[in-house]
Amino acid sequence: MGALVPLTRPGWVEAGRHLLAGLELAVREVNDAGGILGRPLELVVRDTAADPQRAAAAVDELAGLGVAALAGEYHSVVARAAAARADALGLPFLCSSAVLDELTEQPTQWVARLAPAQSHGWRTYADFLLGAGHSRIAVAAQPSVYWASGTRILRDHLAPRGGTVIELDMSALTPAALCEELVDHRATALLLLVGHPEPAVPIVKSVRQDPRLAEILIGAPAGQPEFAEWAALLGADGAAIPFLRYLPEQLSPLGARVGAALRERLGEAPSFVAFEGYDTVAVLADVLRSSGADRARTAESWPRVAVEGTRGRIRFSRTPDISVWQWTWTPVQVADRDPAEPDRFRILHTG
C-alpha cells in the first residue's frame, strides 16, 4: 500500500506525523491478525512536503512499484494532484484527510474519501458563527484554491442569512495592518484562512494584543488549534479559537482503544487526523481481503464498503457535486481549547 504524507516543510509536519501514526498502527494490527490473504501488508511511504508536483511524481513511482492501492494525504491541493494521477493511472486512492470538494475535475471510480467535503464542514462552521451572534465576519486569507473555496462556501451560506464576509488579503497586509482593517470594518469575527505557523501565529498575537479587538472572535475552521504545536507557540492566546475537527462526541470502544494506542505511539493526545489514518487502512484492508491486488476490483468495491471505523460505520456513496466516492458523513464538531485549561477541548457545536 502506498502512502502520501507531508513529513517536511512547507508541509504541515505535525499533521503528517499524526496521519502516519494512524496508518502505521493500523498496518501493524492488520499484520498481527494475519495480514491480507496470508501476506503481510507493507506501507510504502512518500513525503509530499505539501508539493502537488512532488505528490503526482510519487503516485507515478508507487504505481510503478506495484502498490495495490494508495492512502493518505492531508493537504487538499496536494491530494487533488494525487487524485488526478491516480485516476489517470487506474490506481485506487482512499484519501484520508483532504476536504476540497472538487478532488477530481470529473467523476471517478478510482478515488474515495473519508474526510467530509469542505462545503459540508464549513457550512457547519458558518451555522456555529450565526448561532453565536456573528454576522460581520472577516477572513484573513492567503492566495490558494483551498482558501478561496472556503471563503466562497462561507459567503454563499452566510449571505442569505444576513451575514457579511469581508475578505482581507494577507499577501498584502501585515498583522498590524490587519488589526486596523478589522477595526475599520467593525468585524465581530476573524477567520484565519492562512498557513500555520506563519502567518497564523503572528496574526493571533497581534489581534490578542490590540485592546480595540478585545471582543472579536478569532476562528480557524481549517483546524490549526487541534495540534499541540499551536498551544506550545501561543499558550493562553491560542485558547478560545473555534476550529473544525472530525470526531464524535463520544468515541466507541474501538475508537477509545485506538486512541489509547495512538497516544502511546505519539507521546501526546492523538488528533482527528491520526484517527483518519487508522480508518483509512481499516477500510483498505477490508477491501483488499476480497479483491486481492486487483486494482479494478478494489475500485469496484467502494460502494460495498461497510467497515466499523474509530468514528462510526464507514460507507461510501455518490454525493451531489462531489466527484469521488464519499463517506457521508464523518462526525463534525466545532471545538476550541478551554482558556482555563488549554490542553482540554470544549465542544461548541456539532453538525
Side-chain angles (χ1 to χ4, degrees):
M1 182 186 299
L4 302 176
V5 187
L7 296 175
T8 55
R9 300 285 187 193
W12 196 341
V13 174
E14 192 172 14
R17 187 169 66 88
H18 279 236
L19 178 58
L20 184 59
L23 293 167
E24 289 179 336
L25 174 64
V27 167
R28 189 188 73 187
E29 292 187 359
V30 167
N31 288 335
D32 286 348
I36 305 295
L37 303 176
R39 298 174 61 188
L41 180 60
E42 179 186 358
L43 195 65
V44 185
V45 180
R46 292 295 180 267
D47 173 22
T48 64
D51 183 334
Q53 292 183 331
R54 183 166 171 173
V59 175
D60 287 342
E61 180 197 0
L62 291 166
L65 290 174
V67 299
L70 193 64
E73 195 44 48
Y74 176 80
H75 297 283
S76 282
V77 176
V78 179
R80 188 175 63 166
R85 288 304 298 153
D87 180 46
L89 294 170
L91 177 60
F93 174 29
L94 179 51
C95 181
S96 305
S97 299
V99 299
L100 197 65
D101 280 37
E102 297 177 355
L103 206 55
T104 56
E105 291 186 3
Q106 301 295 330
T108 175
Q109 67 171 341
W110 296 100
V111 184
R113 173 168 55 190
L114 287 178
Q118 188 179 20
S119 57
H120 177 71
W122 287 47
R123 285 171 190 154
T124 300
Y125 195 91
D127 288 337
F128 158 74
L129 291 172
L130 290 171
H134 296 285
S135 59
R136 291 189 62 78
I137 296 149
V139 296
Q142 292 178 300
S144 160
V145 171
Y146 175 63
W147 300 126
S149 172
T151 300
R152 184 175 62 252
I153 291 164
L154 292 167
R155 178 177 286 111
D156 290 349
H157 194 72
L158 290 167
R161 295 161 178 81
T164 300
V165 174
I166 304 150
E167 291 187 61
L168 301 174
D169 182 3
M170 292 312 300
S171 66
L173 293 172
T174 65
L178 171 66
C179 291
E180 296 299 329
E181 294 283 341
L182 295 173
V183 172
D184 290 346
H185 285 288
R186 294 177 288 109
T188 66
L190 166 66
L191 304 187
L192 303 171
L193 308 194
V194 295
H196 170 76
E198 298 288 339
V201 169
I203 290 173
V204 172
K205 289 181 177 179
S206 186
V207 172
R208 292 294 200 211
Q209 291 167 7
D210 193 322
R212 300 171 299 172
L213 300 173
E215 300 301 318
I216 199 168
L217 172 79
I218 305 176
Q224 296 95 322
E226 169 80 5
F227 296 95
E229 184 184 24
W230 178 269
L233 292 172
L234 283 165
D237 283 346
I241 297 180
F243 64 95
L244 283 167
R245 68 199 314 226
Y246 307 124
L247 289 172
E249 291 191 61
Q250 185 70 39
L251 286 170
S252 67
L254 170 63
R257 178 186 67 74
V258 170
L262 287 168
R263 179 184 287 272
E264 183 176 351
R265 178 176 285 259
L266 288 162
E268 61 189 22
S271 68
F272 68 86
V273 178
F275 288 98
E276 288 174 329
Y278 183 95
D279 286 342
T280 301
V281 173
V283 168
L284 284 175
D286 183 76
V287 170
L288 292 172
R289 288 187 185 101
S290 60
S291 64
D294 188 299
R295 293 172 176 175
R297 288 181 60 196
T298 294
E300 291 167 0
S301 298
W302 299 133
R304 297 192 295 274
V305 165
V307 173
E308 198 62 41
T310 60
R311 298 161 299 145
R313 194 158 184 80
I314 299 169
R315 298 178 183 272
F316 298 111
S317 61
R318 288 296 190 183
T319 305
D321 301 320
I322 306 297
S323 58
V324 302
W325 287 97
Q326 177 71 54
W327 180 16
T328 50
W329 296 100
T330 313
V332 176
Q333 299 174 357
V334 178
D336 71 359
R337 289 181 176 271
D338 188 343
E341 191 180 341
D343 287 337
R344 191 179 79 85
F345 294 105
R346 305 182 298 185
I347 300 172
L348 309 175
H349 183 80
T350 58

